[in-house]
Amino acid sequence: MTAPGAEFDEIYRATAASGGPPWDIGGPQPALAAALDGHVKGPRVLDVGCGTGDLALTLARRGYDVTAVDVSPVAIGVARAKAAAAGLPVHFEVQDATRLSLPPASFDSVFDSGLLHILHRRADGAADDYLALLPRLAAPGATVFVLAVSIEAGHGWGVTEEYLRARFAGPDWTTTRIESIDVAAETAGGPLTLRGFLLRTVRTADAAP
């Protein structure tokens, strides 16, 4: 049986000499970086689908207690090396986002920078499994950020605003806001910009763990 992260391990290995996969842009997505000031609740923050850790490291530099998970052992190995070189105490784990094993109601902010639209492409219900776990991980009143590529980017995959609103509705979520943004990518041909969304929502304050 193929390990869950094997496909992504191969992508990271195959692109290592050319700067990494398209989503590895050397820092947080610009739309998320702009949202960090004044919008992140702490101290405990979760980065799901963290890749090689650039967003997690940015959050750690701001003083947050960061846990970051990814299905790819290769990506987590790179992320741990970056954290060690920077002297930042990020807790990186190899975990499948559809089977997250983390303490319930543990996080004051949760970040998904480009994971949901990848799971949404799969035909095995992976996105639904992942979305069912998020309310259990977010503490009551926690803020959740989701950055996703739009179907209108024109690549035959992506999510719609209607899909996001339906998946982040009551009773689990409140004050959901979605804005149209640009998602940055890097390819062999240079920088690429895709149409996308940045969703911000809040875990219902009286939610049970």
Side-chain angles (χ1 to χ4, degrees):
M1 182 177 177
T2 303
E7 174 188 356
F8 290 97
D9 283 346
E10 181 56 34
I11 293 171
Y12 280 108
R13 291 190 186 104
T15 59
S18 59
W23 59 82
D24 202 349
I25 62 172
Q29 280 289 327
L32 269 180
L36 296 184
D37 291 328
H39 297 290
V40 183
K41 296 176 183 175
R44 300 162 301 173
V45 177
L46 174 64
D47 181 6
V48 189
C50 65
T52 61
D54 290 316
L55 174 59
L57 296 176
T58 297
L59 290 162
R61 288 189 182 97
R62 290 170 172 251
Y64 295 105
D65 177 4
V66 183
T67 296
V69 301
D70 198 276
V71 74
S72 167
V74 171
I76 290 295
V78 173
R80 286 172 174 162
K82 288 181 180 179
L88 294 170
V90 179
H91 180 65
F92 288 106
E93 289 190 21
V94 177
Q95 289 208 33
D96 183 339
T98 67
R99 298 184 179 90
L100 290 171
S101 176
L102 294 165
S106 291
F107 300 100
D108 305 299
S109 290
V110 179
F111 285 85
D112 169 344
S113 180
L115 173 63
L116 179 57
H117 64 239
I118 292 175
L119 297 178
H120 185 258
R121 295 174 67 178
R122 291 166 47 177
D124 60 358
D128 290 337
D129 291 341
Y130 163 60
L131 290 172
L133 291 173
L134 283 185
R136 305 175 201 171
L137 297 174
T143 299
V144 173
F145 300 80
V146 177
L147 181 142
V149 170
S150 167
I151 189 68
E152 294 183 2
H155 294 277
W157 54 271
V159 301
T160 64
E161 181 174 345
E162 291 74 20
Y163 173 85
L164 292 174
R165 291 197 181 279
R167 296 308 187 274
F168 290 92
D172 291 327
W173 309 106
T174 186
T175 62
T176 298
R177 291 176 291 167
I178 301 172
E179 60 181 301
S180 297
I181 58 156
D182 290 332
V183 177
E186 294 280 350
T187 68
L192 179 66
T193 299
L194 306 173
R195 295 180 69 176
F197 301 107
L198 178 60
L199 174 147
R200 274 183 272 178
T201 192
V202 176
R203 181 69 168 111
T204 306
D206 59 355

